[in-house]
Amino acid sequence: MANLATYKLLADHDPEDEIQSMKGEIEDQLDDKLSKDTIVIVGSGIAGFTLARKLDEEKFNVVVISPEETSPHTSLLVSLSTQYVCALLTTWQASAACGSIDFSFAEEQIRHKSRSLTYYKARVEDVDFIRKVCRCRSACDVPGGKDRLFEVKYDRLILAPGCATYTFDIPGADEHALFLRTAADARHIHHRLTQLLELASIPHVSADEQRRLLHIIIVGTGPAGIELAGKLSDLIEGDLAALYPELKDKISISIHDSRAYHSGRFEAALRQYCLENSPRRHVQLFLDSHITNVEADSVTTEALGRVPCGMVIWTPGSKQSLLVDKLKVAKTSDSDSGVRRMLTDEYLHVLTPDPEQKAMSHVYALGDAADIKDGSLPPTAEVARQKAEYLAEALNAASERETAFEYQQQHGLLGWTGGNDGVVQGQTDWTPSRAWAAWRSGSSNSLFARSSRYNLSIAIHWFADWVRG
């Protein structure tokens, strides 16, 4: 039963006062938002995600537009601590694809309750630099979710759309090959591998059919392809040999590349080392192998004809995105890789396409889709991260033109070839096991960890996986 004090409180309560108070709070929030510049970031890769995480939300309204609601750990490079060199973060996708780590560690959500940014799951199809507007198309995977058009205004624009997978227009590649760019791709590969093993285990499946089902073809001999092959090789020698002993000798891996060499970013001696050790890893390398067709159960090459397989994983390289193709900005000339990148000045401002190539004061570009004029840098995660950190610091301090961007290269490119073995460029006195130790340590202490709790979660997961076997 209510007492007299409660009745008095209800009597004194004025709903109109409460409404006015709430209205005032909303207006204050709107005034605060309108008083801040809106920074639109196109892309959620290493560059875009790092920048969004480091921008001062007290000074800017941060908007991220990307078809991916997570930021994946890609197959590019990330700078680690001064004690160790670079680590190929393909380990996250490769390990997840092979089932040795949880998929949640291979990506990070853009939306987070600790950050007050705005996110739109969409693709930017064009930019009106005069009106300062991004024209977008929704990318939600539901009926009608990919056809909604809208515009987003910006005060400053950061273009970091990344690159698209390059299939060289080979028939069947887009339809039948599996890719390894996101955690969803890793799940798909893991699921396909599991289904192939189970199908091959069914009674009365012939030995020839088992070999066909369990033949994995990897297209591309860059660091991503080589590392994935090493991870699969270790999986065959370890868990699969114990779980499917009758199939161990029927599982095979082959890597095809149209070039006459592989691991192109590494120096010649390291490429030769990988080549000589591939047979030891039960991996066959087919260099100068031109694939002409991809089907659900085979690939066709000029030299070998039709090669039966159970799965094709496509990791040969990248090409410029449709957005970069469409934007009227200065770009690099066509290169051997076929990738054209947006040109920026040393302060990361995008340059106009006219002969003078003037800097666009409120438009920036970074990541794989951008390069600095007269200062070309490799499209690695280490470069993308450093550019993002530089730009965030400059924008937060409102001193964007005081100091030009300067890339600080760490020790060099590091890769893992399977087992306790690795290669590192630029360190002639390093042993393969030391390179592997650096790779492993780098992976478990990734700079993309949001906090020490994230690193601890990874360590606990790996320990639990080791205990469970």
Side-chain angles (χ1 to χ4, degrees):
M1 184 175 181
N3 56 32
L4 292 176
T6 303
Y7 284 122
K8 186 176 187 305
L9 180 62
L10 292 173
D12 293 340
H13 179 71
D14 189 346
E16 184 64 28
D17 290 343
E18 185 175 349
I19 292 173
Q20 291 299 322
S21 177
M22 291 175 61
K23 183 178 178 181
E25 290 179 5
I26 293 173
E27 289 176 347
D28 290 342
Q29 292 176 6
L30 288 174
D31 290 341
D32 181 58
K33 197 162 188 175
L34 291 173
S35 67
K36 298 187 292 187
D37 278 356
T38 295
I39 295 182
V40 172
I41 302 172
V42 179
S44 60
I46 295 166
F49 187 79
T50 302
L51 182 64
R53 181 168 58 91
K54 291 186 174 292
L55 284 174
D56 189 346
E57 295 173 352
E58 296 296 323
K59 296 181 178 179
F60 306 109
N61 300 315
V62 180
V63 179
V64 178
I65 306 174
S66 172
E68 302 294 337
E69 64 267 30
T70 62
S71 179
H73 291 291
T74 70
S75 59
L76 305 179
L77 296 170
V78 157
S79 176
L80 301 177
S81 65
T82 56
Q83 181 180 2
Y84 291 106
V85 295
C86 303
L88 275 168
L89 288 184
T90 308
T91 181
W92 300 112
Q93 274 98 347
S95 296
C98 297
S100 60
I101 69 165
D102 189 89
F103 288 104
S104 63
F105 292 126
E107 61 184 351
E108 303 214 28
Q109 295 290 330
I110 298 172
R111 295 183 185 274
H112 196 281
K113 57 186 179 182
S114 67
R115 293 189 294 269
S116 59
L117 57 78
T118 301
Y119 167 68
Y120 298 123
K121 184 177 175 64
R123 289 180 174 84
V124 175
E125 296 191 332
D126 203 357
V127 177
D128 187 332
F129 295 115
I130 303 300
R131 295 174 54 220
K132 290 189 175 182
V133 164
C134 293
R135 300 191 182 100
C136 310
R137 182 183 296 272
S138 60
C140 302
D141 193 16
V142 294
K146 295 184 178 181
D147 299 318
R148 302 191 180 220
L149 303 177
F150 60 97
E151 293 185 344
V152 177
K153 290 185 174 292
Y154 66 84
D155 295 299
R156 300 173 191 267
L157 176 65
I158 288 83
L159 297 167
C163 294
T165 301
Y166 198 12
T167 59
F168 305 94
D169 297 322
I170 294 174
D174 286 316
E175 295 82 4
H176 302 301
L178 304 183
F179 303 98
L180 190 55
R181 297 179 66 89
T182 67
D185 293 336
R187 288 187 183 94
H188 195 181
I189 292 173
H190 175 64
H191 177 74
R192 176 72 65 84
L193 179 59
T194 302
Q195 298 308 303
L196 290 171
L197 287 163
E198 296 302 338
L199 180 57
S201 300
I202 290 176
H204 310 304
V205 176
S206 67
D208 287 343
E209 179 65 3
Q210 287 176 330
R211 291 188 182 91
R212 197 275 302 173
L213 289 170
L214 301 179
H215 179 203
I216 301 170
I217 293 179
I218 298 173
V219 181
T221 59
I226 294 297
E227 186 173 331
L228 179 60
K231 188 67 184 177
L232 287 169
S233 177
D234 279 2
L235 186 65
I236 293 169
E237 291 298 317
D239 291 351
L240 296 187
L243 296 172
Y244 303 90
E246 73 284 1
L247 298 177
K248 175 188 174 184
D249 295 332
K250 297 182 176 67
I251 306 174
S252 62
I253 305 166
S254 61
I255 309 179
H256 293 254
D257 199 297
S258 59
R259 298 172 296 181
Y261 59 91
H262 70 95
S263 299
R265 292 184 189 173
F266 289 101
E267 57 202 31
L270 296 180
R271 293 203 303 265
Q272 184 63 26
Y273 176 84
C274 293
L275 183 64
E276 292 173 351
N277 282 272
S278 292
R280 181 166 60 88
R281 301 291 178 210
H282 308 288
V283 176
Q284 282 187 297
L285 268 174
F286 294 92
L287 302 178
D288 202 16
S289 177
H290 298 271
I291 295 176
T292 59
N293 190 52
V294 179
E295 298 179 22
D297 59 353
S298 68
V299 300
T300 302
T301 73
E302 291 180 355
L304 301 175
R306 184 176 182 275
V307 182
C309 65
M311 174 167 54
V312 179
I313 304 175
W314 200 271
T315 66
S318 302
K319 66 177 181 179
Q320 65 269 19
S321 67
L322 293 176
L323 177 61
V324 174
D325 272 339
K326 184 175 288 187
L327 291 178
K328 295 179 180 180
V329 299
K331 301 170 189 174
T332 59
S333 59
D334 291 327
S335 61
D336 292 337
S337 63
V339 180
R340 298 193 68 190
R341 307 165 73 187
M342 294 176 287
L343 278 177
T344 72
D345 63 10
E346 63 272 30
Y347 303 98
L348 308 187
H349 295 91
V350 173
L351 303 179
T352 59
D354 52 72
E356 292 80 10
Q357 293 190 336
K358 299 177 182 178
M360 303 171 71
S361 60
H362 293 89
V363 183
Y364 309 82
L366 54 160
D368 293 356
D371 201 4
I372 296 176
K373 181 181 179 181
D374 301 325
S376 183
L377 293 171
T380 66
E382 184 181 20
V383 174
R385 179 186 61 80
Q386 289 189 28
K387 283 186 176 182
E389 291 177 343
Y390 159 84
L391 185 57
E393 183 178 353
L395 292 174
N396 289 339
S399 59
E400 52 188 286
R401 282 193 175 272
E402 289 187 3
T403 306
F405 171 75
E406 184 177 352
Y407 173 53
Q408 301 293 329
Q409 185 175 3
Q410 302 299 316
H411 292 286
L413 181 66
L414 186 144
W416 173 63
T417 58
N420 297 342
D421 202 356
V423 291
V424 59
Q425 183 156 303
Q427 301 293 325
T428 57
D429 59 333
W430 280 44
T431 63
S433 58
R434 184 179 179 187
W436 170 83
W439 172 88
R440 183 67 171 181
S441 174
S443 299
S444 61
N445 294 282
S446 166
L447 284 177
F448 287 92
R450 299 285 75 82
S451 66
S452 58
R453 289 179 296 176
Y454 188 89
N455 279 330
L456 180 61
S457 297
I458 295 171
I460 292 173
H461 180 87
W462 269 334
F463 178 75
D465 184 67
W466 174 76
V467 170
R468 291 195 309 265

